[in-house]
Amino acid sequence: MQERPPDGPLPAAHPVPGARARQPDGDQVPCPPRPQRAPLTRRQYAYGITVALLVLVLVAAGILR
């Protein structure tokens, strides 16, 4: 690897033989779209509400103690 002087220009870019194809500009790599998520069930809502109430009771008990 050749080092360049600290204030000199960057070396010219050139394609590497046998390398994979260039990605389009930007940081994103093309991929298939994600499938839609299934809606939440009643059981999942019930678990979420139960956990939220439990946390609320524990916080209230810690504050009032």
Side-chain angles (χ1 to χ4, degrees):
M1 187 165 108
Q2 294 179 344
E3 291 191 23
R4 64 178 176 84
D7 57 350
L10 293 173
H14 56 279
V16 177
R20 62 182 181 181
R22 269 188 55 193
Q23 292 293 334
D25 289 343
D27 294 331
Q28 306 231 347
V29 176
C31 61
R34 288 186 175 183
Q36 289 287 343
R37 288 181 60 180
L40 296 177
T41 62
R42 285 185 180 172
R43 179 176 288 183
Q44 288 172 320
Y45 275 117
Y47 284 146
I49 290 171
T50 303
V51 169
L53 288 175
L54 181 63
V55 169
L56 184 64
V57 167
L58 292 175
V59 168
I63 290 174
L64 296 177
R65 197 163 184 214

